[in-house]
Amino acid sequence: MDYQALAQLLFPDVTETPESLEERFPQRQLPEGAVVTRMAPSPTGFVHLGNLVQGLTAERMAHQSGGVLFLRVEDTDAKREVPGAVEVLLETLKHYGISFDEGATIDGDNGAYGPYRQRQRASIYHVYARKLVSEGMAYPCFATEEELAAMREKQEANKENTGYYGKYAMWRDRSMEDIQAQIQAGNPWVLRFRSTGSIENQFKFDDLVKGKLTITENDIDHVLLKSDGIPTYHFAHAVDDHLMRTTHVVRGDEWLPTLPFHIQLFKALGFKLPKYVHIGPLMKMDGTSKRKLSKRKDPELALTFYKAEGFPVEAVYEYIMTILNSNFEDWRRANPDIAPQDFKFSPKKLNPAGSLFDYAKLTDVSKNVISKMDAETVCKLLTEWALEFDAEFGAKLAADPAFATAILAIGRGGKKPRKDLSVWKDAKEYMGFFYDEYLQAPVFDEKFSKDTVKTALEKFLLVYDFADDASVWFEKVKAITEEMGFTTDMKAYKADPDAFPGTVADISTMIRLAVTGKTNAPDLHAVMQVLGEEKSRARIQNVINML
Ligand code: GLU
């Protein structure tokens, strides 16, 4: 077979050469050890937690080493493409602190190694396709769907491995005449790799996450170009990651089964193999067993879920770090106030079997992250969230940011800050009572008569002075307690509860309920300071009138 002639027949329009492409995309000038890596998502419009895990791994590896992170859009499957998907992807990843140094942008490309959308690279793939054909390493295959189905049936009946290989590779050694006849008849063809591998042979391979792997050679003549001339993932991966000078491929471990083919392909093309970082799946506990997070069953897989719940970005980032690197939590305890980006991330610390996602733990991390923010930051982030997801509450917060900030400052700062908020969604329940529209009618303990409650509130209004500090304020509540025959001595009460109608805690709760409508509001003196004298008095008076 004259492979040169075959290459000319299949790719008459290719004018560039591998050498000219090498010149067009030269080696990058980067410091020793700099990692060049990428995210290469398909534009399906769905951005999930797995994308974030991979993205953060890639981002940390690139930026921690003074390297480059780029975005390549794998749009080879036009059927799955969703308009606007790149926009959603870029925005979502940026929201979580992943920004790209180069690659696809919303309306074009940024960088010298593009184009970064695979469908725009067809002519580049054809240069290498032509080269492989001219060297006898690839050939056209005209097998029809029916022929391929019959092949699989036969293999299954014979209990053999399925696939297009060895004696089943029906177009592997066909004559030039047969090929020409098919082309003249206008029949569609795919380009297949001519594998020289054998499943009898194994070799060792080092993955940065999985460690030492024993790999069995590939013997399948996989498809390189589909009938529309667009490459499969495998071929595009080899050509793009070579020409874009990728040093590390960070991707999901669902690609491990085809890794033997990728290694073979890089070799056939004369490309240096990058290092591989194969990330295990995200798992969750389902009852007592672990399973992979699923798009269908688990709403928490979608990144939009975290935004809608109101997890601050820092919290999600922080949590992802804890599941990616087992030593992150120790580091965090030793360095409570440093940005998580200062942590030395290592792909070697990733769990090869995949990470366990624990929603309760995320909530806990988030609670801590929020508790450490200052009131201005909380107010800003909460208002942004509310304006998008609870417009009415958002409008109230936005109408008087100073008031909202003062509310959120209660119990903040200091060694033991309050931890009331895990997500922004919790905020309305926590602080809504400050706004009259959300104030609920108090429900007093039935143990106390209406008159008792009324008396306590009336007494309080008589002595209440807005200028009092917290301790004077509390002394007054204690005085009312004693006057009403209740006790301030909790020990004595515990020893003999029947000796008193109630305690200072009961009196405080009555006032608290009158002011806030709730029994579990934050420090009441602080609440009344923020609410203001007039409003505090009015609320108590209002309750007295209703009793
Ligand atoms: N489009 C592939 C994926 O999303 C990319 C894999 C890779 O990063 O090479 O799984």
Side-chain angles (χ1 to χ4, degrees):
M1 163 75 86
D2 181 347
Y3 292 131
Q4 288 294 346
L6 181 59
Q8 180 59 27
L9 175 67
L10 299 177
F11 300 103
D13 301 330
V14 170
T15 50
E16 272 191 290
T17 61
E19 293 71 29
S20 64
L21 289 172
E22 292 292 325
E23 270 171 39
R24 210 164 112 197
F25 304 110
Q27 293 293 341
R28 295 169 184 267
Q29 297 304 316
L30 290 168
E32 179 80 22
V35 169
V36 178
T37 187
R38 78 297 186 277
M39 274 188 89
S42 304
T44 60
F46 180 66
V47 196
H48 54 81
L49 209 55
N51 295 124
L52 187 59
V53 164
Q54 275 175 38
L56 282 179
T57 303
E59 191 277 339
R60 285 293 74 211
M61 290 179 68
H63 292 155
Q64 220 169 242
S65 65
V68 176
L69 177 70
F70 67 86
L71 176 69
R72 181 169 74 223
V73 177
E74 302 213 329
D75 57 359
T76 53
D77 189 353
K79 281 197 289 299
R80 289 181 63 206
E81 185 161 349
V82 170
V86 175
E87 207 162 338
V88 171
L89 186 83
L90 284 166
E91 257 171 32
T92 311
L93 294 175
K94 189 160 167 235
H95 183 71
Y96 286 100
I98 302 180
S99 43
F100 296 96
D101 307 301
E102 74 181 48
T105 60
I106 289 171
D107 47 9
D109 278 342
N110 163 37
Y113 291 81
Y116 296 92
R117 284 170 171 80
Q118 289 181 330
R119 279 222 297 278
Q120 295 173 11
R121 299 175 62 79
S123 63
I124 295 179
Y125 305 118
H126 291 186
V127 172
Y128 291 98
R130 182 183 166 118
K131 172 184 151 78
L132 290 176
V133 173
S134 71
E135 291 168 350
M137 288 195 272
Y139 62 91
C141 167
F142 297 87
T144 61
E145 281 302 322
E146 294 74 35
E147 286 170 322
L148 293 173
M151 171 191 86
R152 255 190 311 275
E153 253 173 47
K154 195 163 167 194
Q155 290 167 333
E156 276 161 11
N158 292 348
K159 300 214 172 358
E160 291 174 303
N161 289 341
T162 53
Y164 197 97
Y165 62 90
K167 65 176 189 224
Y168 290 105
M170 50 201 112
W171 278 90
R172 196 177 157 108
D173 294 312
R174 293 289 275 267
S175 67
M176 189 69 158
E177 289 70 43
D178 284 358
I179 294 172
Q180 267 165 341
Q182 291 281 338
I183 292 205
Q184 259 153 29
N187 288 339
W189 53 276
V190 299
L191 189 73
R192 287 190 182 269
F193 183 68
R194 187 190 302 274
S195 175
T196 51
S198 159
I199 54 168
E200 304 296 322
N201 299 338
Q202 294 187 324
F203 61 98
K204 295 269 184 252
F205 182 81
D206 227 343
D207 182 89
L208 259 55
V209 177
K210 305 277 174 184
K212 283 235 176 319
L213 299 172
T214 302
I215 304 234
T216 302
E217 280 184 6
N218 165 58
D219 68 343
I220 296 192
D221 287 3
H222 282 292
V223 174
L224 299 175
L225 291 179
K226 297 180 267 188
S227 57
D228 57 0
I230 296 295
T232 54
Y233 166 76
H234 320 292
F235 193 42
H237 157 47
V239 170
D240 291 349
D241 281 316
H242 172 69
L243 289 180
M244 295 175 180
R245 309 299 175 185
T246 302
T247 63
H248 290 65
V249 170
V250 178
R251 65 182 183 186
D253 68 359
E254 67 273 18
W255 294 109
L256 270 183
T258 39
L259 175 66
F261 173 46
H262 301 156
I263 297 174
Q264 195 180 26
L265 194 52
F266 270 81
K267 204 160 172 196
L269 288 162
F271 297 160
K272 181 170 183 260
L273 195 66
K275 293 209 169 15
Y276 284 90
V277 179
H278 280 109
I279 301 190
L282 275 176
M283 322 268 263
K284 76 181 257 184
M285 291 309 288
D286 196 351
T288 50
S289 56
K290 273 190 208 170
R291 67 162 172 80
K292 276 192 207 178
L293 277 176
S294 112
K295 187 170 166 181
R296 201 168 41 83
K297 290 190 207 153
D298 306 309
E300 72 267 33
L301 189 59
L303 283 182
T304 43
F305 172 83
Y306 300 91
K307 196 168 178 217
E309 285 297 294
F311 281 100
V313 167
E314 292 86 331
V316 178
Y317 190 103
E318 189 96 7
Y319 176 65
I320 298 271
M321 283 296 148
T322 67
I323 58 175
L324 285 183
N325 269 205
S326 45
N327 53 332
F328 179 81
E329 279 181 274
D330 286 343
W331 175 86
R332 179 42 94 208
R333 267 189 288 276
N335 304 280
D337 301 316
I338 307 182
Q341 287 79 3
D342 288 347
F343 169 71
K344 181 109 189 64
F345 177 87
S346 164
K348 299 209 162 113
K349 295 246 162 49
L350 260 68
N351 186 339
S355 308
L356 189 63
F357 176 78
D358 177 351
Y359 190 78
K361 181 81 188 280
L362 165 64
T363 307
D364 212 48
V365 168
S366 188
K367 198 178 264 187
N368 278 320
V369 167
I370 294 178
S371 78
K372 283 194 204 152
M373 292 176 175
D374 60 36
E376 287 74 20
T377 306
V378 174
C379 184
K380 177 175 164 287
L381 295 176
L382 169 62
T383 306
E384 276 168 16
W385 173 85
L387 286 172
E388 188 171 350
F389 295 100
D390 185 346
E392 187 195 88
F393 183 41
K396 289 199 193 333
L397 296 168
D400 191 350
F403 181 52
T405 305
I407 298 170
L408 290 160
I410 296 173
R412 202 161 280 283
K415 280 220 157 34
K416 278 205 165 215
R418 288 186 64 93
K419 296 187 180 177
D420 303 282
L421 308 177
S422 303
V423 290
W424 303 134
K425 225 183 200 176
D426 296 340
K428 192 153 126 188
E429 169 65 28
Y430 168 67
M431 63 190 273
F433 68 83
F434 277 96
Y435 301 90
D436 290 342
E437 298 83 340
Y438 299 134
L439 180 66
Q440 288 169 6
V443 181
F444 295 100
D445 191 334
E446 282 175 2
K447 203 162 72 178
F448 305 111
S449 72
K450 280 187 181 182
D451 278 345
T452 307
V453 177
K454 206 168 172 173
T455 308
L457 297 180
E458 278 167 351
K459 280 181 178 292
F460 179 77
L461 277 189
L462 283 176
V463 296
Y464 174 50
D465 183 346
F466 186 74
D468 289 343
D469 67 15
S471 67
V472 174
W473 182 94
F474 192 51
E475 285 310 317
K476 288 183 174 173
V477 176
K478 280 188 184 160
I480 296 169
T481 304
E482 306 273 341
E483 280 168 36
M484 292 181 63
F486 284 50
T487 182
T488 54
D489 183 343
M490 299 308 281
K491 260 196 205 140
Y493 181 75
K494 263 213 179 105
D496 185 6
D498 293 336
F500 310 93
T503 71
V504 66
D506 295 315
I507 299 293
S508 299
T509 300
M510 291 172 199
I511 305 169
R512 182 183 302 271
L513 269 165
V515 176
T516 70
K518 295 167 57 159
T519 52
N520 61 349
D523 179 73
L524 190 52
H525 175 261
V527 166
M528 292 172 80
Q529 288 292 304
V530 173
L531 208 51
E533 172 160 19
E534 206 182 313
K535 201 163 238 178
S536 300
R537 280 188 180 280
R539 283 187 176 187
I540 296 171
Q541 189 58 56
N542 198 23
V543 172
I544 293 171
N545 296 345
M546 282 181 339
L547 280 164

